[in-house]
Amino acid sequence: MVNLDSPPNLLKVWKKWNEPIGYVDMGPDVRSDNDTQNLAKECLVFMAVGITSRWKLPLGYFAIDSIGSEQQGNLLQTCFSLLYTIDVKTASLTLDGAASNISMCKFLGAKLDFHNEGFQPWFPHPEDTNERVYVFLDPCHMLKLVRNAHKMNVRLALRRSATAFIAR
Amino acid sequence: MKTVQELFPELGDLSGTAKFCSFMNDAFDILNCNNLFSRVGFNLPLKNSTRAKLKERVQEIENYITKIETREAPTLVRKWPRKTGFVGIISCLRNIFPLFDKLRTWGARYFLTSKILQDHLENFFSAVRSRGGFSNNPTCRHFRRAYKRLLTHAEIVLSNNGNCLMNEIPILHCSGNSGLKVDSVLFEEDDENDCEPNEEDKDNFTAADLLSVHDYSRTTCLIAEGEYLHEVITYICGFITRKILKKITSAKLLHLN
């Protein structure tokens, strides 16, 4: 039982680095025209975390320049498939709130548009469509987003001598 | 908040903000439980006994968030450009219950919500950055080395300036240490096939060798040959297999045996 973390994070790589090792590398299985042409800027790391047991394990990493949501989704699906073949049950997926992540969730089959009626924060497991994989947008990042939204409004509120948020 | 309001009456009515803060506080408490025995507010582990209480509070929070409106955007928050944070919290809050139910069918008795945080990955990044001196901008090479190093020797030491607090979850690790040495010792056949190290070896034997040579390698094991060794190894293997079988329920892996 596993939770899969996947932010296209966060390791900025020096652009100046000018060796073969600093280029975009999607591994041997993924064909990418960008391979070995662009310098890598970020590192995409997948990590599995045990939910009912106490362990975590980085599953792999990709040196990327930038990555499309679809491509990222495909990599994730590969992750799910590989975990499935060794009988690791993947129950949830954690991402931060970047726009590309959200469109990736859409690509995988989740519906995170809250103003629509069909709000569905999970998607079927790529290997076993009866199982659901629940999408969690990392609460810490969400809290930060909420704080930023709130901060802006507090300033407004101070200027206008009014409450920041009004609940109906 | 009430004190602030008394101090600065010109700010107007602040009860809305106070209410907002208390809701957000509870929402994050629910999503950040790391302790099975926690009893603080809503910072409770998800168990059969707490499910109803948490569910009720989650429903309140969700109702509240969907009705928020702001001065800046007098529409409801869910249509607001900055809605991601709120939608994210709602989706997390909604998802923990079906996830818990699913885990329960798999035999879990409780669910600690901190498992779904991204902190685990952030800690890992912090560990990567700390390898070879702290560097906020590791190069590809740095990252690759640190990654492998952490996979083989996974003890995380964390910067105090990192994004989040240390947790004590170890990275699953296997020892990549000393594979070469063992191989070279094991497959180096002596001419007489005896157990004493030959003269050359004795001369070159250093403290480092002593450390790297294991008790199961031929050169140091006095009763290396024959039935005894075979029996011992069989016994140990059997023991290990029995222990592993208790852990692994996978039909596929059993089939491999």
Side-chain angles (χ1 to χ4, degrees), chain A residues 1 3 7 11-12 19 43 54 56 60-61 94 114 119 121 131-132 134-135 137-138 152 163 166, chain B residues 13 66 69 72 82 92 94-95 98 102 106 115-116 118 120-121 138 141 143-144 147 168 171-172:
Chain A
M1 290 161 238
N3 171 41
L11 294 168
K12 294 273 160 54
E19 279 185 45
C43 202
R54 215 167 139 271
K56 60 182 175 180
Y61 66 94
T94 302
F114 192 62
F119 180 63
E131 292 288 342
R132 292 176 177 183
Y134 296 98
V135 175
L137 299 174
D138 180 38
M152 235 180 75
T163 352
I166 305 162
Chain B
D13 182 17
T66 49
E69 61 178 31
E72 180 204 33
R82 282 168 171 269
C92 289
R94 273 205 192 172
N95 272 342
K102 189 171 173 178
W106 289 345
K115 296 283 187 184
I116 52 110
Q118 210 166 261
H120 311 285
L121 196 59
R141 172 171 291 183
F143 179 79
R144 201 159 85 171
Y147 183 90
E168 287 168 356
I171 295 178
L172 199 65

Side-chain angles (χ1 to χ4, degrees), chain B residues 219-231:
Chain B
T219 44
T220 51
C221 183
L222 290 176
I223 325 169
E225 300 296 325
E227 244 175 274
Y228 182 73
L229 183 70
H230 184 75
E231 291 296 325

Side-chain angles (χ1 to χ4, degrees), chain B residues 141-212:
Chain B
R141 172 171 291 183
H142 178 144
F143 179 79
R144 201 159 85 171
R145 299 238 164 110
Y147 183 90
K148 286 180 181 168
R149 185 91 178 85
L150 284 167
L151 269 189
T152 50
H153 176 84
E155 288 310 320
I156 295 181
V157 179
L158 208 61
S159 156
N160 285 332
N161 308 318
N163 259 344
C164 42
L165 287 177
M166 177 95 168
N167 61 32
E168 287 168 356
I169 298 182
I171 295 178
L172 199 65
H173 60 277
C174 55
S175 167
N177 196 17
S178 74
L180 248 181
K181 295 252 178 177
V182 173
D183 282 355
S184 64
V185 171
L186 270 182
F187 296 116
E188 214 172 77
E189 290 283 337
D190 287 339
D191 281 341
E192 291 95 17
N193 215 6
D194 67 3
C195 311
E196 291 288 329
N198 57 33
E199 286 304 309
E200 247 185 276
D201 281 345
K202 269 181 187 165
D203 290 344
N204 298 333
F205 217 61
T206 62
D209 286 335
L210 269 179
L211 286 176
S212 67

Side-chain angles (χ1 to χ4, degrees), chain A residues 52-164:
Chain A
T52 51
S53 46
R54 215 167 139 271
W55 57 271
K56 60 182 175 180
L57 179 68
L59 300 174
Y61 66 94
F62 300 93
I64 56 174
D65 178 19
S66 64
I67 191 167
S69 54
E70 202 165 309
Q71 203 177 7
Q72 197 183 329
N74 284 327
L75 288 176
L76 254 182
Q77 275 178 344
T78 313
C79 263
F80 281 120
S81 306
L82 289 175
L83 286 173
Y84 187 79
T85 53
I86 56 168
D87 248 26
V88 175
K89 294 170 182 171
T90 320
S92 71
L93 168 72
T94 302
L95 324 124
D96 60 31
S100 69
N101 283 343
I102 292 184
S103 53
M104 187 191 72
C105 291
K106 205 172 164 187
F107 170 74
L108 290 170
K111 291 167 192 143
L112 293 174
D113 297 330
F114 192 62
H115 56 270
N116 285 344
E117 284 309 307
F119 180 63
Q120 177 197 309
W122 51 266
F123 58 88
H125 194 293
E127 292 290 323
D128 180 1
T129 42
N130 293 326
E131 292 288 342
R132 292 176 177 183
V133 178
Y134 296 98
V135 175
F136 289 91
L137 299 174
D138 180 38
C140 303
H141 282 94
M142 294 306 111
L143 197 69
K144 248 167 136 177
L145 290 177
V146 167
R147 181 206 52 188
N148 290 345
H150 188 238
K151 204 165 66 181
M152 235 180 75
N153 278 278
V154 167
R155 280 201 206 116
L156 275 175
L158 286 176
R159 257 210 315 274
R160 296 186 189 173
S161 308
T163 352

Side-chain angles (χ1 to χ4, degrees), chain B residues 3-233:
Chain B
T3 335
V4 171
Q5 201 170 341
E6 283 156 20
L7 283 173
F8 304 101
E10 68 272 20
L11 287 182
D13 182 17
L14 291 181
S15 61
T17 308
K19 198 173 169 193
F20 175 83
C21 289
S22 95
F23 273 109
M24 284 301 151
N25 180 47
D26 286 351
F28 192 66
D29 272 355
I30 291 172
L31 293 171
N32 188 32
C33 179
N34 198 19
N35 185 355
L36 181 55
F37 305 104
S38 169
R39 292 181 182 281
V40 188
F42 286 92
N43 193 4
L44 298 170
L46 195 44
K47 291 189 287 194
N48 283 338
S49 54
T50 56
R51 195 180 189 283
K53 186 185 174 191
L54 289 176
K55 181 85 186 173
E56 189 188 335
R57 186 60 179 164
V58 161
Q59 200 55 51
E60 280 172 30
I61 294 170
E62 198 180 316
N63 289 339
Y64 174 77
I65 289 179
T66 49
K67 283 176 186 163
I68 282 177
E69 61 178 31
T70 68
R71 293 266 174 215
E72 180 204 33
T75 50
L76 293 179
V77 79
R78 49 189 166 157
K79 288 178 188 165
W80 197 25
R82 282 168 171 269
K83 65 178 185 300
T84 316
F86 299 97
V87 173
I89 284 184
I90 288 182
S91 71
C92 289
L93 287 174
R94 273 205 192 172
N95 272 342
I96 54 173
F97 296 105
L99 179 57
F100 172 58
D101 294 339
K102 189 171 173 178
L103 295 177
R104 213 162 40 173
T105 62
W106 289 345
R109 282 180 295 116
Y110 59 91
F111 168 42
L112 296 179
T113 42
S114 71
K115 296 283 187 184
I116 52 110
L117 297 185
Q118 210 166 261
D119 285 15
H120 311 285
L121 196 59
E122 303 280 358
N123 283 339
F124 177 68
F125 284 133
S126 189
V128 168
R129 292 193 183 100
S130 74
R131 292 278 135 180
F134 282 90
S135 161
N136 277 334
N137 266 5
T139 61
C140 278
R141 172 171 291 183
H142 178 144
F143 179 79
R144 201 159 85 171
R145 299 238 164 110
Y147 183 90
K148 286 180 181 168
R149 185 91 178 85
L150 284 167
L151 269 189
T152 50
H153 176 84
E155 288 310 320
I156 295 181
V157 179
L158 208 61
S159 156
N160 285 332
N161 308 318
N163 259 344
C164 42
L165 287 177
M166 177 95 168
N167 61 32
E168 287 168 356
I169 298 182
I171 295 178
L172 199 65
H173 60 277
C174 55
S175 167
N177 196 17
S178 74
L180 248 181
K181 295 252 178 177
V182 173
D183 282 355
S184 64
V185 171
L186 270 182
F187 296 116
E188 214 172 77
E189 290 283 337
D190 287 339
D191 281 341
E192 291 95 17
N193 215 6
D194 67 3
C195 311
E196 291 288 329
N198 57 33
E199 286 304 309
E200 247 185 276
D201 281 345
K202 269 181 187 165
D203 290 344
N204 298 333
F205 217 61
T206 62
D209 286 335
L210 269 179
L211 286 176
S212 67
V213 169
H214 294 264
D215 52 359
Y216 50 80
S217 69
R218 260 184 208 185
T219 44
T220 51
C221 183
L222 290 176
I223 325 169
E225 300 296 325
E227 244 175 274
Y228 182 73
L229 183 70
H230 184 75
E231 291 296 325
V232 168
I233 290 177

